[in-house]
Amino acid sequence: MDNSDSSQNTLVSVRNLTFSRGNNKIFNDISLDFERGKITAIMGPSGTGKTTLLKLIGGQLYPEKGIITVDGENVHRLRRKELYELRKRMGMLFQSGALLTDMNVYDNVAFPLREHTHLTESMIRSLVLMKLQAVGLRGASLLMPNELSGGMARRVALARAIALDPMMILYDEPFTGQDPISMGVLVLLIKALNETLGLTSIIVSHDVCIFIIQPKTMWMIYYPLENGIEVMLGYAIANPTYAEQNFS
Amino acid sequence: MMQFLQNLGASTRTSFTKLGRATYFLIQTLAGIFSILIRPRLLMNQMFSVGVLSFLIITISGLFVGMVLGLQGFYILSDFGAEESLGIMVAASLVRELGPVVTALLFAGRAGSALTAEIGLMKATEQLSGMEMMAIDPIRRIITPRFLAGFLSMPLLAALFSAVGIIGGQLIGTGLLGVDDGAYWAQMQTQLDFYDDIINGVIKSVIFGFVTSWIALFEGYDAIPTSEGVSRATTRTVVNSAFSILGLDFILTALMFGDN
Ligand SMILES: Nc1ncnc2c1ncn2[C@@H]1O[C@H](COP(=O)(O)OP(=O)(O)OP(=O)(O)O)[C@@H](O)[C@H]1O
Ligand SMILES: [Mg+2]
């Protein structure tokens, strides 16, 4: 009973995950959950494996041990086609933006729509402009990626990540390089996506801004040992009012 | 001694795993061909940047190589009083050997290195991972069209090279050195064999196109995703392509023209 209830509410679950890069053990038998329809934050010092965790969830890296399920499906057991179907329902915002440099902002946002849907060009146009508007970059649609600042590029990447209306978005450091205004735009957008569309959001960030979003849960990744060999993960702040008291 | 053996073993193993990765990569690339046939636009764009943009270098090089052949051929042939055979000499050298080989070498330097750098940088800037996360297979979307474009452009470029070279030889031979114009073309027409010369030349350039595109794309895809890694991969593309082209040319020539 308890079990089925928790799987209802858990969109992503990580169980006994162990992962190494060479001799460097990045995760040692960690388990954590991400709730459906909620915002979960992951914090931790640079180089502890936050990006790595997102890539494991997205099925780009394979764990040595352990199981990661997304929406009830074991990510690393799926066939290639099933994995791609699952990824259509996940958006990922890369730390670097990862925009395609040979096309302009408009085509970048239109790219997943053109690849995965059969919408007419006019429908794609209105969708793309809507998503760009949402990140406050409608006016930049004709710029090439090399003409964007780092912060702008990341917002375009966000517009692209939400183009297919995914059920979940993995944000890797969305706030770095944003000025206070665009940071505000992003915070409101992430919250709005979560509240109005019920999107599950996993946000990696070490910006205090994360507290304004009031994540439901927060996971800390940190090195418990001075020499930093073993990585522990799983210190949760399950009380959202904590953030409110301190930061609003 | 032990150390030496260990190093030898390790480097052999690395080369073999790399060969394995390259083969797997090729299989995946070829598996994407069908999906390109449905979307010929992707191929067209790549044919343009891989093929059409190599036109100039191929034309100019072809012209000069043809002119040099005209000069050298004339001096040798005139010793035997066989200047009339200049046409067939120029044409056969170009169609059988120089066309496919020099085109492939130029192609590796011009288009191959560009492909490696492009793919390597796409990897370094996470564009390929980004595509994977958007559920778009980067091999199908990015690699296969470039592979096909390289593979299809090569015979066309080699034909262009040979054609321009033959004109270059004629410019020098008949224009400058006074070989009879009619003899230049007539000898070529009667002596050059369609299967033995032309088809074999085309087969060579198809094989070179396959190998060079494979090397260039794989080196980019397998590059260490840093500026240094990409620069090394680009160098490896040019070096490995040159070795493969020249080595394969020897083997193919031995197989094709060996029994004459
Ligand atoms: N491709 C790679 N090869 C080898 N080691 C890697 C690779 N990528 C990351 N690492 C190592 O894995 C560890 C975790 O990297 P990761 O990128 O996940 O850190 P992060 O928590 O996202 O840091 P940041 O906050 O700086 O983005 C680092 O110690 C890094 O040295
Ligand atoms: Mg990171």
Side-chain angles (χ1 to χ4, degrees):
Chain A
M1 189 66 226
D2 189 20
N3 204 351
S4 79
D5 190 52
S6 79
S7 70
Q8 278 280 308
N9 291 326
T10 306
L11 185 64
V12 181
S13 98
V14 177
R15 285 284 161 271
N16 307 106
L17 172 71
T18 300
F19 181 82
S20 315
R21 288 275 198 192
N23 292 328
N24 181 7
K25 199 161 232 174
I26 295 178
F27 300 123
N28 192 4
D29 197 27
I30 60 155
S31 298
L32 64 165
D33 287 327
F34 298 93
E35 263 183 90
R36 191 187 291 274
K38 297 289 188 304
I39 299 176
T40 306
I42 302 176
M43 294 187 84
S46 184
T48 42
K50 302 181 298 299
T51 302
T52 309
L53 182 63
L54 294 190
K55 288 193 169 168
L56 282 159
I57 293 174
Q60 292 201 305
L61 296 173
Y62 282 79
E64 270 154 50
K65 284 198 208 99
I67 296 172
I68 297 178
T69 56
V70 175
D71 203 15
E73 300 185 86
N74 183 338
V75 176
H76 301 96
R77 280 288 172 78
L78 293 178
R79 293 158 165 279
R80 184 186 180 71
K81 215 171 181 171
E82 295 163 336
L83 178 61
Y84 273 38
E85 281 306 314
L86 182 63
R87 281 179 182 166
K88 283 187 203 169
R89 297 187 284 140
M90 286 189 214
M92 174 146 171
L93 180 63
F94 280 75
Q95 210 163 352
S96 60
L99 296 177
L100 303 173
T101 44
D102 59 345
M103 39 178 100
N104 66 21
V105 165
Y106 178 91
D107 290 326
N108 260 291
V109 180
F111 186 72
L113 294 167
R114 289 188 178 136
E115 294 288 322
H116 291 311
T117 67
H118 298 286
L119 299 175
T120 62
E121 202 51 38
S122 71
M123 285 161 87
I124 289 185
R125 189 180 164 76
S126 55
L127 271 175
V128 170
L129 292 180
M130 195 173 87
K131 305 291 176 188
L132 282 174
Q133 175 100 45
V135 297
L137 282 176
R138 193 181 162 122
S141 67
L142 293 180
L143 295 180
M144 294 303 283
N146 61 341
E147 298 168 309
L148 302 174
S149 71
M152 286 163 89
R154 210 157 302 129
R155 279 188 283 153
V156 174
L158 178 56
R160 185 178 69 176
I162 58 177
L164 285 174
D165 292 324
M167 62 170 180
M168 161 169 97
I169 301 193
L170 311 171
Y171 301 88
D172 199 351
E173 309 276 5
F175 305 119
T176 23
Q178 304 293 345
D179 63 88
I181 306 270
S182 52
M183 187 120 57
V185 169
L186 276 184
V187 167
L188 288 178
L189 179 66
I190 292 174
K191 277 188 81 79
L193 285 171
N194 171 250
E195 278 160 17
T196 58
L197 302 174
L199 229 78
T200 308
S201 308
I202 299 179
I203 309 177
V204 165
S205 175
H206 26 224
D207 201 289
V208 287
C209 225
I210 194 75
F211 290 104
I212 308 174
I213 294 190
Q214 298 173 1
K216 175 83 189 310
T217 315
M218 207 141 130
W219 295 97
M220 285 291 297
I221 307 188
Y222 61 92
Y223 297 107
L225 304 173
E226 273 294 273
N227 58 11
I229 302 290
E230 200 172 331
V231 177
M232 269 249 302
L233 185 137
Y235 167 67
I237 306 170
N239 176 12
T241 53
Y242 167 84
E244 241 172 320
Q245 284 161 5
N246 285 286
F247 289 93
S248 54
Chain B
M1 187 62 197
M2 217 43 218
Q3 187 60 38
F4 170 74
L5 281 181
Q6 252 174 22
N7 290 345
L8 189 72
S11 70
T12 315
R13 214 181 67 181
T14 331
S15 334
F16 272 101
T17 48
K18 184 161 182 184
L19 201 62
R21 285 203 305 279
T23 311
Y24 182 61
F25 173 81
L26 180 66
I27 293 169
Q28 283 182 301
T29 306
L30 295 178
I33 287 182
F34 181 72
S35 61
I36 294 307
L37 298 180
I38 314 173
R39 293 175 66 185
R41 261 210 80 111
L42 286 178
L43 180 61
M44 295 300 161
N45 292 343
Q46 289 311 316
M47 286 287 279
F48 181 78
S49 64
V50 172
V52 178
L53 296 181
S54 304
F55 251 57
L56 194 64
I57 183 175
I58 295 292
T59 316
I60 295 175
S61 315
L63 191 67
F64 279 111
V65 169
M67 284 168 26
V68 169
L69 278 177
L71 278 175
Q72 295 281 16
F74 181 82
Y75 293 135
I76 294 174
L77 291 173
S78 61
D79 281 350
F80 304 102
E83 301 93 279
E84 266 69 47
S85 301
L86 185 66
I88 173 66
M89 201 225 105
V90 169
S93 325
L94 281 168
V95 172
R96 286 178 174 190
E97 285 297 335
L98 292 170
V101 172
V102 179
T103 306
L105 292 174
L106 291 171
F107 183 88
R110 162 71 180 72
S113 57
L115 283 176
T116 306
E118 186 189 13
I119 305 293
L121 281 174
M122 287 182 96
K123 185 178 180 188
T125 53
E126 294 194 301
Q127 294 182 54
L128 298 182
S129 313
M131 240 179 233
E132 271 179 25
M133 283 307 297
M134 285 188 277
I136 296 158
D137 184 352
I139 295 216
R140 286 193 182 180
R141 183 64 175 66
I142 302 290
I143 305 289
T144 307
R146 284 167 175 73
F147 178 80
L148 269 187
F151 169 62
L152 295 175
S153 311
M154 187 74 90
L156 300 176
L157 290 171
L160 177 75
F161 184 95
S162 298
V164 176
I166 289 171
I167 294 172
Q170 188 225 5
L171 283 180
I172 295 295
T174 69
L176 194 71
L177 302 170
V179 176
D180 180 52
D181 202 32
Y184 185 88
W185 294 109
Q187 288 261 355
M188 202 187 302
Q189 275 175 1
T190 52
Q191 303 273 330
L192 210 62
D193 187 80
F194 181 68
Y195 288 104
D196 272 354
D197 297 315
I198 299 186
I199 292 292
N200 278 342
V202 172
I203 291 176
K204 274 188 182 177
S205 60
V206 167
I207 292 176
F208 295 159
F210 189 94
V211 172
T212 340
S213 313
W214 179 22
I215 292 177
L217 291 167
F218 176 70
E219 287 293 355
Y221 194 76
D222 202 49
I224 299 165
T226 57
S227 348
E228 200 205 358
V230 174
S231 110
R232 284 211 209 142
T234 312
T235 310
R236 274 201 305 273
T237 290
V238 177
V239 173
N240 291 350
S241 299
F243 280 145
S244 316
I245 291 163
L246 296 171
L248 278 171
D249 184 52
F250 174 73
I251 296 171
L252 289 171
T253 307
L255 289 177
M256 287 168 174
F257 303 104
D259 51 348
N260 285 5

